[in-house]
Amino acid sequence: MGSIEAARKEANGSLTEKKPCVVFVLGGPGSGKGTQCANIVQHFGYTHLSAGDLLRAEIKSGSENGTMIQNMIKEGKIVPSEVTIKLLQKAMLESGNDKFLIDGFPRNEENRAAFEAVTKIEPAFVLFFNCPEEEMERRLLNRNQGREDDNIETIRKRFKVFLESSLPVIEYYNAKGKVREIDAAKSIEDVFEDVKVIFTPKEEQVATA
Ligand code: ADP
Ligand code: C5P
Ligand code: MG
């Protein structure tokens, strides 16, 4: 066996052994996943892994896959699972943590099935930020982070991919009773109030009504 393959198996072995707690954070582009993940990290000690951020870092690092990833992102297309899963596994191992918010992944059925097959990890639940397209469009056009995919042409393509490929993944987990849906059209503060309830253990929730 080649050393790279051996290393991959070993890495995966120690991940599987650890049985980490994984929450998939899903929602359309601009629904506020990254914003809320930053809040969850502060309050609940998770490590935030954004698949999109990992792919953008991979482009910047000058990796051999960089050009392919850049072209896919520009077109709003989903990068082959193998590439994204490797980046996620590496980041999970390097973090040393055992609680992860995996943001923007799985984006399609291929992502979902491949992650499950490779890592044997089932998510604890799926946090779904539900937001109307008009609101997401407004947010993306105002995001101002210099992203090459935050232009109206690519945004429309990303919305189409979300409806056609990502929503079915949310439906898959919904059928398993794993989806916690949040109204993401509210203010950042109000959305986080709803998020907190989901992450706070039941016995610690104080009745405020
Ligand atoms: P995602 O990671 O889901 O694509 P982001 O968290 O990057 O979304 O949010 C997209 C943009 O919208 C950012 O500029 C962010 O500051 C802003 N934003 C996030 N949540 C809200 C909200 N609840 N109300 C208004 N603007 C928001
Ligand atoms: O989640 P984010 O908006 O940062 O994703 C940006 C882009 O990264 C997506 O439109 C897609 O091209 C790519 N991506 C992907 N596979 C994922 C997550 C993101 O190909 N699981
Ligand atoms: Mg994001």
Side-chain angles (χ1 to χ4, degrees):
M1 194 188 296
S3 62
I4 294 175
E5 178 66 4
R8 189 188 68 78
K9 286 228 162 122
E10 193 182 303
N12 197 38
S14 55
L15 254 191
T16 316
E17 246 168 59
K18 272 191 184 166
K19 290 225 171 4
C21 169
V22 165
V23 174
F24 287 147
V25 182
L26 301 177
S31 58
K33 301 181 294 296
T35 304
Q36 295 300 329
C37 282
N39 285 336
I40 300 165
V41 165
Q42 294 294 318
H43 281 73
F44 299 101
Y46 281 75
T47 292
H48 172 211
L49 300 177
S50 155
D53 286 351
L54 290 170
L55 290 167
R56 283 183 287 274
E58 188 69 358
I59 298 171
K60 279 211 181 124
S61 78
S63 118
E64 56 177 332
N65 283 322
T67 309
M68 179 275 288
I69 297 171
Q70 191 165 25
N71 290 334
M72 301 291 272
I73 289 182
K74 241 186 226 159
E75 288 303 310
K77 290 183 183 160
I78 297 166
V79 172
S81 302
E82 188 197 312
V83 173
T84 316
I85 290 171
K86 266 191 201 144
L87 295 173
L88 285 169
Q89 282 182 300
K90 185 164 174 277
M92 286 172 88
L93 276 168
E94 282 174 1
S95 76
N97 201 349
D98 61 354
K99 291 159 75 178
F100 300 96
L101 301 167
I102 300 196
D103 158 5
F105 182 98
R107 235 11 181 249
N108 61 10
E109 171 59 20
E110 191 216 355
N111 272 182
R112 184 201 67 71
F115 185 83
E116 202 177 295
V118 171
T119 67
K120 315 281 179 219
I121 295 170
E122 268 269 331
F125 60 89
V126 173
L127 189 60
F128 169 36
F129 290 113
N130 198 358
C131 193
E133 252 184 37
E134 312 81 70
E135 175 63 15
M136 295 196 288
E137 186 179 303
R138 246 193 314 274
R139 291 180 189 175
L140 293 173
L141 291 173
N142 285 316
R143 182 151 56 180
N144 240 343
Q145 288 176 355
R147 277 178 53 166
E148 281 192 85
D149 56 348
D150 281 349
N151 59 78
I152 193 63
E153 198 188 328
T154 311
I155 287 169
R156 298 238 157 97
K157 290 179 182 166
R158 291 156 72 197
F159 285 160
K160 191 163 182 281
V161 168
F162 175 70
L163 289 179
E164 288 175 359
S165 304
S166 309
L167 262 186
V169 174
I170 295 166
E171 277 155 16
Y172 169 90
Y173 285 116
N174 197 33
K176 296 180 133 202
K178 288 211 162 181
V179 174
R180 309 286 179 268
E181 184 172 334
I182 299 274
D183 175 1
K186 298 183 192 173
S187 70
I188 292 176
E189 295 74 21
D190 287 352
V191 172
F192 190 54
E193 285 306 312
D194 295 344
V195 166
K196 268 198 269 187
V197 174
I198 290 170
F199 282 87
T200 304
K202 284 239 161 45
E203 61 275 14
E204 285 175 29
Q205 284 177 22
V206 182
T208 50

